[in-house]
Amino acid sequence: APCFNESATGEYVVPNLLGMTLEDAYQDERIMTEEESQQETPVEGKFALNVIAEQYSEEYAAGEIMAQSPDPDTVRKSDLVINVTLSLGIHTEEMPPLVDLERNAAEALLSSLQNTSGLELNIVWADSVYSETIEAGKVVSTDPAAGDPLQNGDTVTIVTSKGRELKSVTVPSFLTKTREEAQADLDTLGLLGEFVEEANGAPPGTIFKQSIP
C-alpha cells in the first residue's frame, strides 16, 4: 500500500476523508490541525482542509464529509489542500396544514413547497369520505399529518370530504305529543323541525298536525 509521504520523490497520497467529521479528519496525522492551518508557514508534508460547501445528503449524516477534491488515494506533489463538502444530513420539511382547504388550494400549496425546497413528493388522492364537519370537496385528513417531517420521495396521501352522509329515516308521528317531546324525538333522529302555532281545538301545547306523516 502506498504511504502518505515518500520523501525520496516528494509525493503525497491523498487520504480518504469521506464519512469523517472535521474533528475526526483533524486527528489524522496527514492533515494539518486547525492551529497548524492558521500558521503563516504551512506544515511540510501535511494537507490543509478547506470547507467549500454544505449540502443535503441521504448517504452521509450531518457534519460528515460527503465529497472531497482531490479524490482519495491520488498522488500530489504540491498544493496540498483538500477541498471538502460537508453533509447537512437528510433534507426535511414540515408537512403543511391542508385540512379544510379546497383541493386546488391544497395542490397549489404542495406544489409551492416542492418548488422552493427541491423535494419530490408522491401525491396520492385517496377515496373521498363522508364528514359531518368538513364541506364536500375540502381536505379531511392527510398522511403525514400537518407538522410531521417530509423527506424527498415521501408519499403524501390526501383524503377529501363528500360532505354529510344522507340517510333515510322513517319519520314517526308526533301527533298529540308536546313540543318538548317532539323536539327530543327529532334530536334523537338527527332531524330538524319547525314548529308553528295555530288555533285549534286540541289541548294547548300539543301537536295536532305535521307536514311529513
Side-chain angles (χ1 to χ4, degrees):
C3 60
F4 82 95
N5 183 350
E6 296 186 8
S7 57
T9 60
E11 295 181 342
Y12 304 92
V13 177
V14 178
N16 185 354
L17 305 180
L18 298 177
M20 291 186 180
T21 64
L22 287 179
E23 182 179 6
D24 293 337
Y26 283 128
Q27 299 300 315
D28 191 307
E29 63 180 0
R30 296 164 292 183
I31 303 297
M32 281 192 284
T33 64
E34 290 183 88
E35 293 76 13
E36 290 173 338
S37 63
Q38 293 173 359
Q39 297 175 7
E40 293 185 8
T41 304
V43 178
E44 185 178 353
K46 285 190 174 185
F47 289 90
L49 286 187
N50 180 34
V51 178
I52 59 171
E54 293 181 312
Q55 297 178 3
Y56 291 108
S57 171
E58 296 183 7
E59 181 180 357
Y60 293 95
E64 291 182 347
I65 296 172
M66 59 178 288
Q68 68 174 77
S69 177
D71 292 331
D73 300 325
T74 55
V75 177
R76 307 288 291 184
K77 291 186 176 182
S78 61
D79 192 20
L80 303 185
V81 177
I82 303 176
N83 295 312
V84 298
T85 299
L86 296 181
S87 169
L88 293 171
I90 296 176
H91 186 186
T92 62
E93 294 284 343
E94 280 193 2
M95 176 68 187
L98 303 181
V99 172
D100 212 23
L101 293 182
E102 298 281 357
R103 174 166 177 159
N104 58 353
E107 289 176 330
L109 192 55
L110 288 174
S111 177
S112 175
L113 172 66
Q114 292 182 93
N115 289 337
T116 56
S117 68
L119 293 182
E120 293 186 7
L121 303 174
N122 179 30
I123 311 299
V124 176
W125 292 90
D127 293 338
S128 298
V129 298
Y130 291 109
S131 171
E132 293 295 315
T133 57
I134 305 294
E135 295 178 15
K138 292 186 175 182
V139 176
V140 173
S141 64
T142 62
D143 183 20
D148 286 350
L150 285 175
Q151 298 180 7
N152 192 50
D154 278 356
T155 295
V156 176
T157 302
I158 306 173
V159 179
T160 55
S161 170
K162 292 197 290 187
R164 298 183 66 179
E165 184 177 9
L166 300 178
K167 300 179 181 179
S168 297
V169 176
T170 300
V171 179
S173 173
F174 300 110
L175 300 180
T176 73
K177 291 187 176 184
T178 65
R179 177 170 180 164
E180 290 74 18
E181 291 170 337
Q183 185 62 62
D185 290 344
L186 289 170
D187 292 342
T188 300
L189 294 170
L191 298 175
L192 296 176
E194 181 181 1
F195 296 90
V196 178
E197 293 185 357
E198 291 183 9
N200 186 271
T206 59
I207 296 172
F208 66 92
K209 182 173 62 176
Q210 67 185 65
S211 61
I212 302 176

